[in-house]
Amino acid sequence: MDAQPEALVAQALPRGPYSIAPEIVAADQRRRLLAAAPLVVARYGLEATTVEQIVKVARVRRNSFYEQFEDKRDCIASAYEIGQERLLGAITFQCYSRTGLSERIAGALSAALELLAADPAMARLLLLEAPVAG
């Protein structure tokens, strides 16, 4: 059962004086930033998106953003790569798990469309925003 992208951003570690290892906190912040980037790009467009908007949606401090990424393009490119890997994985699995060519094509298309429909913000980043930006 896949959670909605907005829910993935909202699932943060508990706040307070807990003894959580710094690398776990950093990994959680990175996950939330990468989940937030496509949402912000879908809302404002690639060029208008700002680091401030991404950190606000991710609920991460600005300096933590810059510990993870060089700039907004680095963050968005990382989110894009993850989205492409997920899409390629879904398509590839269907191609290897089916026997006939028509079954492979139908399975790959179906898997790709299901994945994109489940995450409209990522779909927009992969299919509209990033290709236009080059």
Side-chain angles (χ1 to χ4, degrees):
M1 149 171 38
D2 290 329
Q4 292 298 316
E6 295 86 356
L8 291 175
V9 174
Q11 296 171 352
L13 292 173
R15 299 181 107 181
Y18 303 101
S19 65
I20 300 173
E23 59 272 7
I24 293 174
V25 173
D28 181 66
Q29 290 171 338
R30 183 175 181 84
R31 177 193 59 78
R32 287 187 283 143
L33 289 163
L34 290 169
L39 296 171
V40 175
V41 169
R43 189 175 302 145
Y44 299 103
L46 185 62
E47 292 304 317
T49 292
T50 65
V51 170
E52 188 61 37
Q53 293 163 335
I54 295 171
V55 298
K56 183 177 180 184
V57 170
R59 297 182 309 149
V60 172
R61 292 185 337 264
R62 188 179 189 91
N63 64 339
S64 296
F65 175 91
Y66 286 108
E67 290 170 4
Q68 300 284 339
F69 302 103
E70 186 174 315
D71 55 21
K72 83 168 185 176
R73 291 222 180 252
D74 184 30
C75 178
I76 293 168
S78 294
Y80 176 82
E81 287 178 26
I82 290 168
Q84 283 227 318
E85 288 171 5
R86 286 178 57 211
L87 186 58
L88 181 60
I91 291 169
T92 302
F93 176 77
Q94 293 301 318
C95 288
Y96 286 117
S97 65
R98 310 287 173 132
T99 54
L101 179 61
S102 62
E103 288 178 353
R104 288 179 181 169
I105 292 171
L109 282 173
S110 177
L113 292 173
E114 285 177 22
L115 185 69
L116 294 171
D119 191 347
M122 183 59 77
R124 182 175 181 89
L125 177 62
L126 292 175
L127 302 176
L128 297 175
E129 298 290 344
V132 171

